[in-house]
């Protein structure tokens, strides 16, 4: 139930964020035109049918905030951690169901407050989703620094509380509530990903709250943690001694682990979907787990690459550059393992599989540009240009959205007991995949030419006028991609009520959640929780008559297909079974 709440709230927030992006894209495509409809819809925020300059910044800010936190953090982790952790580990429920419910309702209240900021007099927060001071620290700095900014800070504090409750719950459930036989090395990669994501969140989010609390002090109580030498309209302000760079350190110490909090659950979901639909064991299970652990550890020591242009000591910049390039290694391990899993597999192209493969595509094309940006010398030219926008929209935006959609198509039968329509799924995939590339690929070239991000209009600057036509193209591509989501929304809500009834195990999958009854019951399994005997990826095992062996089937029932290395990880408690199996094998012979 809580997974559904997170998912549907996430979908609603995603649609809102998408509409906001279309509004500011129209401004970028037609900077000189006025659209009377804009004024009808937005009133004082679009006087004469043209977006107000300050409201433009607010749109960019809220779009980023919703997508990064409310959709890709809460919508993705909240949905699939709640759905799959009890199901795939064989637990009756979460460790603390009450805290679980509270985590959703805090997220819901945070969403409502974030949206409410559109209805205050001067509009929502406008300093960008990264809320750098002094714009965010001085209520008088711009319209978007007033009440809207305060609501942003309140909303995000509640949001972090929600994430911490969720995270503590996920970690304690995974560590304490696994069913008999389910050791850590028999957990599906989805669960490893949710586990490490939750740890990242628990360690990183409090730092953001610390930064936000100091920001509230600066705004409301006259302190100067982030402020120094400020002049407003010719008046010298009394603040001195603060440093806006301090805020950047506190923000990015969360901000960089955050992008891995966004992408790791999507990578976990893809591992599961790709293995299931390739009808092959995932390639390099242990390497996949260690690469997730490597990403988790390294993600805490790379935050400085967002700050190469802040006057950082070049030696420190060099250290951050090395750690940034090293974190590409575990990510590449995951990519190669996906490709190796697909290689010569008996691939079933379900909509979920297409989205998982789409994730791999975006992860590669978006990840490569990260190597450019991680290089301090190159980043000086590329920082704050459209190149950065292109990079992170591909590698964490599109990739994580595609991972989330793969999960929705794959586990929809588990959540709602019905199947989604396949043809609409294919349509949704191809239109979205093509649309996303058409939107973000041209941005690389704009960035290489030095087009800055977050600008309201490029007509003032002679050298940038040539990019207006590209902006127009990107806007139409974005509108095309947005309309493609109608296919998904219809499919999702229609199938929920009128879809084909789902069988118990529609994808012939090996993991525990498909051993539960289709209709939801309290406690997940009627009677005893099944015992687990094997790892979650026994697909197409030579010698077995079916192309999958569920985790609940003991080795004594699969004598024809047992292999010596099936027993390496858990020598102690399975040793007797291996010996018995050998004896009965002899008898069979």
């Amino acid at each position: 139930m809580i997974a559904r709440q997170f998912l549907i709230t996430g979908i609603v927030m995603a649609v809102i964020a998408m509409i906001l992006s279309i509004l500011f894209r129209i401004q970028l495509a037609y900077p000189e035109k006025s659209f009377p409809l804009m004024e009808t819809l937005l009133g004082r925020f679009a006087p004469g049918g043209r977006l107000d300059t300050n409201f433009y910044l607010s749109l960019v800010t809220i779009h980023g905030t919703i997508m990064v936190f409310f959709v890709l953090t809460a919508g993705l982790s909240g949905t699939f951690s709640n759905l799959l952790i009890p199901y795939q580990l064989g637990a009756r429920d979460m460790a603390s169901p009450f805290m679980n419910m509270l985590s959703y309702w805090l997220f819901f209240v945070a969403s409502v407050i974030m949206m409410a900021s559109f209805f205050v007099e001067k509009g929502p927060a406008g300093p960008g989703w990264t809320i750098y001071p002094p714009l965010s620290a001085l209520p008088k700095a711009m319209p978007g620094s007033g009440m809207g900014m305060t609501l942003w800070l309140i909303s995000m504090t509640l949001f972090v509380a929600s994430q911490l409750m969720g995270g503590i719950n996920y970690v304690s459930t995974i560590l304490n509530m696994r069913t008999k036989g389910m050791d850590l090395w028999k957990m599906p990669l989805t669960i490893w990903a949710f586990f490490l994501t939750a740890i990242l969140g628990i360690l990183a989010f409090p730092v953001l709250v610390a930064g936000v609390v100091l920001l509230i002090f600066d705004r409301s109580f006259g302190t100067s943690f982030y402020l120094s030498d400020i002049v407003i309209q010719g008046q010298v302000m009394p603040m001195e001694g603060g440093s806006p760079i301090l805020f950047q350190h506190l923000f990015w110490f969360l901000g960089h682990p955050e992008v891995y909090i966004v992408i790791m659950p999507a990578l976990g979901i893809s591992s599961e979907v790709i293995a299931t639909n390739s009808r092959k064991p995932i390639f390099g299970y242990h390497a996949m787990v260690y690469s997730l652990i490597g990403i988790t550890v390294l993600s805490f020591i790379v935050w400085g690459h967002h700050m190469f242009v802040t006057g950082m000591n070049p030696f420190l910049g060099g250290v951050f550059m090395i750690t940034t390039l090293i974190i590409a290694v575990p990510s590449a391990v995951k990519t190669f393992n996906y490709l190796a899993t697909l290689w010569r597999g008996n691939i079933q192209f379900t909509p979920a599989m297409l989205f998982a493969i789409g994730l791999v595509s975006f992860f590669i094309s978006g990840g490569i540009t990260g190597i450019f940006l991680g290089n301090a010398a190159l980043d000086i030219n590329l920082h704050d240009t459209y190149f950065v926008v292109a990079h992170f929209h591909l590698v964490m935006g599109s990739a994580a959205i595609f991972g989330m959609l793969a999960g929705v198509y794959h586990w929809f039968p588990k959540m709602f007991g019905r199947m989604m329509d396949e043809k609409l799924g294919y349509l949704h995939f191809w239109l979205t995949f093509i649309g996303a590339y058409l939107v973000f690929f041209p941005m690389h070239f704009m960035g290489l030419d030095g087009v800055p991000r977050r600008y309201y209009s490029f007509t003032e600057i002679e050298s940038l006028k040539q990019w207006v036509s590209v902006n127009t193209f990107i806007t139409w591509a974005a509108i095309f991609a947005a309309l493609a989501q109608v296919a998904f929304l219809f499919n999702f809500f229609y199938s929920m009520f009128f879809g084909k009834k789902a069988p118990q195990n529609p994808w012939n999958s090996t993991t525990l959640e498909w051993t539960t009854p289709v209709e939801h019951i309290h406690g997940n399994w009627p009677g005893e929780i099944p015992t687990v005997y094997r790892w979650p990826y026994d697909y197409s095992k030579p010698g077995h008559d079916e192309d999958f062996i569920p985790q609940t089937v003991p080795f004594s029932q699969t004598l024809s297909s047992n292999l010596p290395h099936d027993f390496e990880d858990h020598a102690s408690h399975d040793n007797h079974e291996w010996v018995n199996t050998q004896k009965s094998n002899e008898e069979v012979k």
Side-chain angles (χ1 to χ4, degrees):
M1 190 64 224
I2 294 174
R4 290 175 184 181
Q5 289 175 311
F6 269 110
L7 179 60
I8 291 171
T9 312
I11 288 175
V12 170
M13 292 302 273
V15 170
I16 293 170
M18 194 168 71
I19 293 167
L20 302 184
S21 69
I22 298 297
L23 289 173
F24 65 69
R25 279 291 348 153
I26 289 173
Q27 161 59 33
L28 288 169
Y30 302 106
E32 304 293 326
K33 267 203 187 129
S34 70
F35 296 92
L37 183 64
M38 282 274 215
E39 189 167 17
T40 317
L41 286 173
L42 301 169
R44 62 198 149 84
F45 293 132
R50 287 185 63 187
L51 271 189
D52 174 63
T53 44
N54 289 300
F55 188 64
Y56 171 85
L57 293 174
S58 296
L59 288 177
V60 173
T61 302
I62 305 296
H63 165 77
T65 308
I66 290 179
M67 290 310 275
V68 172
F69 295 111
F70 291 73
V71 178
L72 292 175
T73 303
L76 180 55
S77 288
T79 301
F80 291 104
S81 300
N82 281 310
L83 178 71
L84 296 178
I85 289 174
Y87 266 156
Q88 292 194 332
L89 292 182
R92 293 277 182 213
D93 200 337
M94 283 295 198
S96 167
F98 176 75
M99 214 158 77
N100 211 16
M101 173 204 72
L102 213 53
S103 99
Y104 171 72
W105 287 111
L106 278 175
F107 163 57
F108 179 77
V109 172
S111 304
V112 171
I113 292 175
M114 189 63 80
M115 294 292 75
S117 67
F118 277 96
F119 301 96
V120 299
E121 188 187 349
K122 290 187 172 169
W129 78 276
T130 54
I131 57 164
Y132 283 1
L135 284 182
S136 58
L138 293 163
K140 291 194 180 73
M142 61 190 268
S145 305
M147 184 63 185
M149 187 67 231
T150 307
L151 290 173
W152 192 101
L153 295 168
I154 295 167
S155 168
M156 282 310 299
T157 308
L158 288 171
F159 177 83
V160 172
S162 135
Q163 289 305 301
L164 288 176
M165 286 184 186
I168 290 165
N169 216 352
Y170 306 150
V171 169
S172 40
T173 308
I174 291 169
L175 290 180
N176 300 317
M177 297 178 68
R178 302 190 303 278
T179 182
K180 186 168 177 262
M182 174 68 79
D183 59 39
L184 293 178
W185 291 116
K186 291 206 197 91
M187 296 197 313
L189 287 166
T190 36
I191 305 294
W192 273 106
F194 301 144
F195 176 53
L196 293 162
T197 301
I199 291 172
L200 267 183
I202 291 167
L203 295 174
F205 273 119
V207 180
L208 176 70
V209 175
V212 161
V213 168
L214 299 185
L215 191 55
I216 292 171
F217 281 2
D218 270 14
R219 287 171 62 80
S220 309
F221 304 118
T223 55
S224 321
F225 290 108
Y226 307 134
L227 296 171
S228 189
D229 308 320
I230 298 286
V231 181
I232 294 184
Q233 289 169 342
Q235 188 189 351
V236 180
M237 303 304 275
M239 301 89 169
E240 53 182 70
S243 162
I245 305 292
L246 167 64
F247 178 84
Q248 291 195 27
H249 279 294
L250 291 174
F251 181 86
W252 287 114
F253 191 81
L254 154 93
H256 204 78
E258 166 64 26
V259 302
Y260 291 101
I261 290 170
V262 163
I263 196 69
M264 278 182 9
L267 294 172
I269 288 169
S270 294
S271 304
E272 186 64 35
V273 171
I274 286 177
T276 301
N277 289 302
S278 297
R279 312 311 294 162
K280 272 178 70 181
I282 191 85
F283 185 91
Y285 174 84
H286 288 79
M288 288 299 235
V289 172
Y290 289 127
S291 68
L292 283 169
I293 295 171
I295 288 172
T296 304
V297 173
L298 286 168
S299 70
F300 280 107
I301 50 173
V302 295
W303 81 90
H305 65 216
H306 296 271
M307 302 172 56
F308 285 144
V309 295
T310 55
M312 177 189 279
N313 181 326
F315 174 73
L316 187 59
V319 173
F320 279 125
M321 180 169 108
I322 290 164
T323 56
T324 301
L325 296 178
I326 289 172
I327 204 169
V329 175
S331 310
V333 167
K334 299 197 79 60
T335 304
F336 286 123
N337 284 5
Y338 289 138
L339 297 178
T341 305
L342 291 165
W343 176 248
R344 300 183 69 183
N346 174 19
I347 298 178
Q348 320 286 311
F349 287 108
T350 62
M353 182 61 157
L354 289 174
F355 277 101
I357 296 171
L359 170 136
V360 178
S361 167
F362 287 127
F363 197 59
I364 295 171
S365 54
I368 287 172
T369 52
I371 297 173
F372 290 66
L373 293 167
N375 233 318
L378 291 173
D379 184 62
I380 289 166
N381 274 348
L382 297 172
H383 185 82
D384 254 341
T385 66
Y386 268 83
F387 195 87
V388 180
V389 180
H391 159 70
F392 76 80
H393 276 87
L394 285 176
V395 77
M396 84 165 208
S398 304
I401 287 280
F402 270 53
M404 185 169 167
L405 289 168
V408 171
Y409 281 100
H410 192 75
W411 281 290
F412 190 89
K414 198 72 258 170
M415 264 191 270
F416 298 103
R418 294 179 181 274
M419 306 294 285
M420 284 177 83
D421 183 72
E422 233 177 33
K423 290 195 177 60
L424 277 174
Y426 293 141
L427 179 76
H428 176 218
F429 169 76
W430 285 111
L431 297 182
T432 309
F433 184 72
I434 293 164
Y437 266 127
L438 290 179
V439 169
F440 300 120
F441 211 75
M443 289 184 185
H444 293 102
F445 304 104
M446 293 169 70
L448 287 169
D449 194 38
V451 180
R453 62 194 280 203
R454 293 186 177 145
Y455 273 35
Y456 171 76
S457 159
F458 299 112
T459 47
E460 312 291 310
I461 305 155
E462 201 49 52
S463 63
L464 302 181
K465 277 188 183 168
Q466 57 182 346
W467 290 104
V468 172
S469 56
V470 175
N471 261 326
T472 312
F473 172 80
I474 292 175
T475 295
W476 281 105
I479 292 170
F480 168 80
L483 290 175
Q485 304 322 301
V486 174
F488 168 72
L489 292 169
F490 172 78
N491 196 354
F492 184 84
F493 289 105
Y494 181 84
S495 304
M496 197 188 290
F497 300 105
F498 307 110
K500 198 170 90 230
K501 283 255 175 13
Q504 187 177 11
N505 187 354
W507 318 118
N508 287 340
S509 208
T510 58
T511 41
L512 283 182
E513 77 271 30
W514 304 107
T515 62
T516 62
V518 179
E519 57 284 349
H520 300 134
I521 56 166
H522 195 69
N524 294 343
W525 283 268
E528 269 185 50
I529 300 177
T531 306
V532 166
Y533 296 98
R534 56 181 73 235
W535 77 317
Y537 298 106
D538 263 345
Y539 290 106
S540 303
K541 213 168 174 194
H544 194 66
D545 45 4
E546 280 185 302
D547 72 345
F548 71 108
I549 310 176
Q551 285 189 276
T552 51
V553 176
F555 285 114
S556 51
Q557 288 176 25
T558 54
L559 300 181
S560 58
S561 64
N562 291 350
L563 300 164
H565 70 72
D566 285 336
F567 306 89
E568 278 166 16
D569 275 336
H570 26 260
S572 52
H573 75 225
D574 271 347
N575 223 358
H576 61 280
E577 192 177 352
W578 170 233
V579 173
N580 294 344
T581 307
Q582 286 304 85
K583 279 181 190 154
S584 35
N585 268 345
E586 296 304 314
E587 285 156 22
V588 168
K589 279 175 194 166

